[in-house]
Amino acid sequence: MNPFDSRPLTSAEQEIVDFLLQGWTNKQIAACRGTSVGTVANQIAAIYQKRGVYSRADLLVRFSVSPPEPGPARPSLSCLSSREQEVVLQAIQGHSNKLIAIELELTESTIATHLRRALVKLRLGSRRELIVELQHAGATSDVP
């Protein structure tokens, strides 16, 4: 019996394959996609079955990709929700939480929550890191 399942990958599974090929962990994928680690693990199992592979290494070989360099690249702004992107873009322009809250008609605590979640998804430790990292990378060109 052939273990290969010829069904095409769903769009979610294809997105997960892209993350896997970049060297992301299940936890990082789950945080970016807003799902549980268990859901990601189940989706990866479905991907393995559909592609007839048994491990990430097999998947890399299947897609003829060399293993990622140590320390995967930071996620892009496209990993953030549209509201998180709005808040982050204003923050990197130097706007305070209070000013962002006024402009977006939200509370300061909501702005702080959006920033905190964005920092986790982008694997950054502080607002300062966010500003330095994204201004250097030209963040506005990264938004879909």
Side-chain angles (χ1 to χ4, degrees):
M1 181 174 159
N2 183 1
F4 180 74
D5 180 341
S6 63
R7 292 178 295 163
L9 297 179
T10 65
S11 59
E13 290 167 344
Q14 185 57 56
E15 183 179 19
I16 289 172
V17 166
D18 293 340
F19 288 135
L20 292 173
L21 295 176
Q22 293 175 43
W24 287 29
T25 66
N26 291 13
K27 187 175 180 180
Q28 291 166 330
I29 296 168
C32 182
R33 299 194 76 246
T35 62
S36 73
V37 174
T39 298
V40 171
N42 289 338
Q43 290 171 310
I44 291 172
I47 292 165
Y48 288 177
Q49 181 179 7
K50 288 179 179 182
R51 292 298 170 250
V53 299
Y54 300 97
S55 68
R56 287 178 196 229
D58 288 344
L59 191 68
L60 292 174
V61 170
R62 167 82 59 190
F63 284 89
S64 300
V65 174
S66 58
E69 296 295 319
R74 294 208 191 282
S76 69
L77 286 183
S78 62
C79 177
L80 306 179
S81 71
S82 59
R83 182 60 91 182
E84 289 166 345
Q85 289 178 14
E86 287 179 292
V87 171
V88 163
L89 290 174
Q90 289 199 29
I92 65 173
Q93 292 172 14
H95 297 183
S96 67
N97 285 7
K98 185 173 186 172
L99 179 59
I100 298 170
I102 291 168
E103 290 177 6
L104 298 180
E105 298 179 349
L106 299 169
T107 65
E108 283 185 67
S109 64
T110 299
I111 298 303
T113 298
H114 286 307
L115 281 172
R116 187 173 52 253
R117 289 180 179 162
L119 289 173
V120 168
K121 289 179 181 179
L122 296 171
R123 297 192 310 270
L124 296 169
S126 68
R127 185 184 192 117
R128 184 173 193 273
E129 271 187 67
L130 175 76
I131 293 168
V132 169
E133 198 62 39
L134 296 180
Q135 281 182 341
H136 177 69
T140 54
S141 65
D142 196 17
V143 180

